[in-house]
Amino acid sequence: MSPVSAIESPNSLHKSYDDFVPVFRTHNIRYIRIQWVDFPNQVRCRVLPLSYFRKLLDSERPSIPLAKVALGIVVLQLAPGFSTGGEGVYVIDFSSFRPCSYAPGHGVFFGFFQEQIPVPRPGGLSIEVPYCPRALVSRLVRYAAEPLGVKFLIGFEIEFTLVKSANPLVFVNDHQWSTTVAISTGTIEAQVLEEIADAIQVDGIELQMYHSEGAPGQYEVVTGPMSPLEAADALVHTRETIYNIASKHSLRATFAPRLALDSCGTGAHMHISVSGERRGTSAFEYLTPVESAFLAGLMHHLPSVIALTLPLTASYARMVDGIWSGGTWVCWGIENRETPVRLTKPSSPSSRNFEIRPIDGISNPYLAVAGVLACGIIGIRDDLPLAVKNHDSPHTAAELTSAEREELGITKRLPLNIDEARRNLATADAIKDILGVELVEHFLQINEMLGRVFDRRDGETETEAVTRLVESY
């Protein structure tokens, strides 16, 4: 049994209603959203009036009852391994509160899925639900901190596209990368972007910048570093902010990975910094020993978790060589956007971080974060050597000869489609051990169902398939 999977899910620190009165009054909170994200990355919630939420806090275990199938619904179908029977609880994490500026008068809490009463598990009786994605991130962070002595900070580049219509697909504009015309004063898109920026900051998330991206109607919001669980929560909140404010102005925001093959795609690049005391030497002058081992873990195990970060067939239309998405060869490089892992600000220990590029907005943020953490944690735990050298060639890895790639230690490719990605995850014993076999099995079953819903169908045009994706993501 993995030492990670043996750690109990955290219980929320119980607070009284009085603890929240000041912040509720400041933001005129009247309703509370208890929110979770399922395996297919649908954000779901229950909305409670403040009067009932106050009663909830008086209970011994503040939570809401939820059918155990809550994480296993694909549209209106039940995934294998789930049934309509059984009910658990969703225990409120009081540290997760944020006001919802996109929905005035509302505030939001996340939580952890737990059993109503302890049930037998391999390590004994437990209330833990081993396939709760949010609890998984919490467990990984705690395992990294003790016994490995490692901490992480994570921020995101959140790309999205604004459209006037999904069917037919009509973009809000056709601009170029980082141009001022994309935020021209008086346009609806400029108003939407500024309202999004204001809301994110009011809700306690550091906004570093926003700008237009290269595809029609495409923009990017960059948020600052947080602890992994807080960062995943903030990513969900930021996406909800983008969705809702766009909707307020009769636009649709979509995180679909690539809407047109003649333009660039839409990603969700993760920036992660790694700190911790570790003896030894580094394989690269700008990396500490713990950073080197973390990067080695990514180079070794990243192909095994790509199903978590690129979960649909459409995801792989973005991850191709030569379009600044990171490419298909497992490698890394200093400030190299044609590698899956980019080392940024290498000479600055206080801001140095790894950018993980093969992630898109269809993926569940908690599973994506957990997948990346799992790779790095294995590298640190097992003290893996960094065999892949800095890819500093002006050519992409795909353009190099086999001998040139071998000289750099570039010998593996990322999966080129979701079927290959699923097979990699299903056979990755080290990854399954640290994420939990039950969680991985549930994910694979749900992901196959999700593919049948969103993959292009017989007789369907590419435009029709893209429209279905845009309407859901």
Side-chain angles (χ1 to χ4, degrees):
M1 180 176 59
S2 163
V4 175
S5 63
I7 298 174
E8 189 71 46
S9 295
N11 289 320
S12 306
L13 182 63
H14 198 150
K15 293 188 176 183
S16 71
Y17 179 80
D18 290 341
D19 293 323
F20 292 103
V21 167
V23 70
F24 287 173
R25 285 178 176 170
T26 297
H27 297 281
N28 192 29
I29 300 299
R30 306 187 314 279
Y31 294 94
I32 296 296
R33 298 182 178 206
I34 309 297
Q35 193 163 273
W36 69 96
V37 185
D38 63 13
F39 279 80
N41 194 32
Q42 295 297 310
V43 181
R44 302 180 186 273
C45 73
R46 299 287 173 85
V47 181
L48 284 57
L50 201 56
S51 57
Y52 184 74
F53 179 74
R54 184 171 187 170
K55 291 181 179 179
L56 204 65
L57 295 190
D58 291 334
S59 64
E60 182 178 346
R61 191 180 176 196
S63 59
I64 59 171
L66 280 177
K68 290 187 175 182
V69 74
L71 288 169
I73 300 174
V74 180
V75 189
L76 290 177
Q77 303 175 58
L78 302 187
F82 291 89
S83 71
T84 55
E87 188 163 87
V89 292
Y90 191 60
V91 179
I92 298 169
D93 177 0
F94 292 113
S95 69
S96 67
F97 174 77
R98 289 191 188 278
C100 297
S101 292
Y102 60 82
H106 287 233
V108 63
F109 287 93
F110 291 93
F112 302 102
F113 285 93
Q114 294 182 358
E115 299 285 354
Q116 289 192 12
I117 58 174
V119 299
R121 299 289 185 198
L125 291 176
S126 173
I127 59 172
E128 177 183 9
V129 172
Y131 49 88
C132 173
R134 196 169 180 276
L136 171 62
V137 174
S138 181
R139 295 198 307 274
L140 289 173
V141 169
R142 290 160 62 195
Y143 176 66
E146 181 64 44
L148 300 181
V150 176
K151 293 182 179 180
F152 308 100
L153 289 175
I154 292 176
F156 284 96
E157 298 177 17
I158 306 163
E159 296 176 339
F160 59 97
T161 303
L162 294 175
V163 299
K164 296 179 180 178
S165 166
N167 187 18
L169 191 61
V170 180
F171 299 103
V172 71
N173 57 34
D174 187 2
H175 57 240
Q176 298 179 37
W177 173 76
S178 289
T179 55
T180 57
V181 71
I183 51 171
S184 295
T185 302
T187 61
I188 192 67
E189 51 268 40
Q191 185 178 350
V192 166
L193 264 292
E194 191 164 318
E195 286 188 25
I196 289 169
D198 288 342
I200 291 170
Q201 294 174 90
V202 168
D203 293 350
I205 298 170
E206 180 189 17
L207 174 67
Q208 295 187 338
M209 68 185 74
Y210 68 86
H211 61 90
S212 64
E213 275 290 353
Q218 188 184 51
Y219 294 88
E220 177 177 279
V221 168
V222 182
T223 57
M226 301 176 173
S227 65
L229 186 60
E230 188 180 10
D233 288 346
L235 177 56
V236 176
H237 191 87
T238 301
R239 287 177 179 168
E240 285 293 288
T241 301
I242 292 168
Y243 276 132
N244 280 274
I245 291 179
S247 176
K248 170 185 170 183
H249 293 278
S250 300
L251 298 178
R252 178 182 290 274
T254 177
F255 299 89
R258 198 169 183 188
L259 300 183
L261 295 181
D262 60 352
S263 192
C264 54
T266 298
H269 303 159
M270 178 195 302
H271 288 259
I272 180 167
S273 63
V274 187
S275 61
E277 296 296 327
R278 191 177 189 82
R279 296 179 180 178
T281 59
S282 171
F284 187 67
E285 61 178 317
Y286 288 118
L287 297 177
T288 65
V290 72
E291 289 171 331
S292 180
F294 179 86
L295 180 55
L298 288 175
M299 295 295 98
H300 190 80
H301 293 287
L302 192 59
S304 299
V305 301
I306 289 298
L308 301 175
T309 65
L310 302 173
L312 286 177
T313 295
S315 301
Y316 297 83
R318 182 180 76 90
M319 289 307 301
V320 296
D321 295 297
I323 63 167
W324 287 31
S325 65
T328 63
W329 287 90
V330 180
C331 56
W332 68 277
I334 293 178
E335 303 297 3
N336 189 342
R337 288 176 170 80
E338 280 292 353
T339 58
V341 179
R342 175 171 72 109
L343 177 62
T344 75
K345 304 177 182 178
S347 61
S348 176
S350 63
S351 57
R352 182 169 56 233
N353 65 85
F354 301 104
E355 179 190 38
I356 317 300
R357 298 177 68 78
I359 304 175
D360 67 28
I362 294 176
S363 62
N364 176 303
Y366 304 99
L367 296 178
V369 167
V372 171
L373 290 180
C375 295
I377 286 172
I378 293 173
I380 295 167
R381 182 195 66 192
D382 297 347
D383 200 20
L384 294 180
L386 181 58
V388 182
K389 299 177 183 178
N390 171 33
H391 178 26
D392 57 359
S393 168
H395 303 289
T396 68
E399 293 171 324
L400 301 179
T401 65
S402 297
E404 289 171 328
R405 283 194 295 268
E406 189 170 348
E407 173 64 23
L408 292 170
I410 303 173
T411 60
K412 296 187 292 187
R413 296 189 83 173
L414 296 175
L416 302 180
N417 55 64
I418 186 58
D419 291 330
E420 185 181 352
R422 289 190 197 112
R423 288 194 297 270
N424 284 3
L425 179 58
T427 57
D429 291 339
I431 293 295
K432 289 196 294 184
D433 181 59
I434 201 167
L435 296 182
V437 172
E438 189 171 351
L439 180 140
V440 171
E441 288 178 349
H442 276 312
F443 170 81
L444 290 171
Q445 291 171 325
I446 291 169
N447 184 257
E448 287 186 16
M449 285 189 66
L450 194 65
R452 290 194 290 271
V453 171
F454 288 105
D455 285 355
R456 185 174 172 180
R457 301 164 183 169
D458 291 341
E460 187 177 49
T461 66
E462 182 67 26
T463 299
E464 290 170 334
V466 167
T467 294
R468 284 190 293 108
L469 200 60
V470 169
E471 289 175 342
S472 294
Y473 294 99

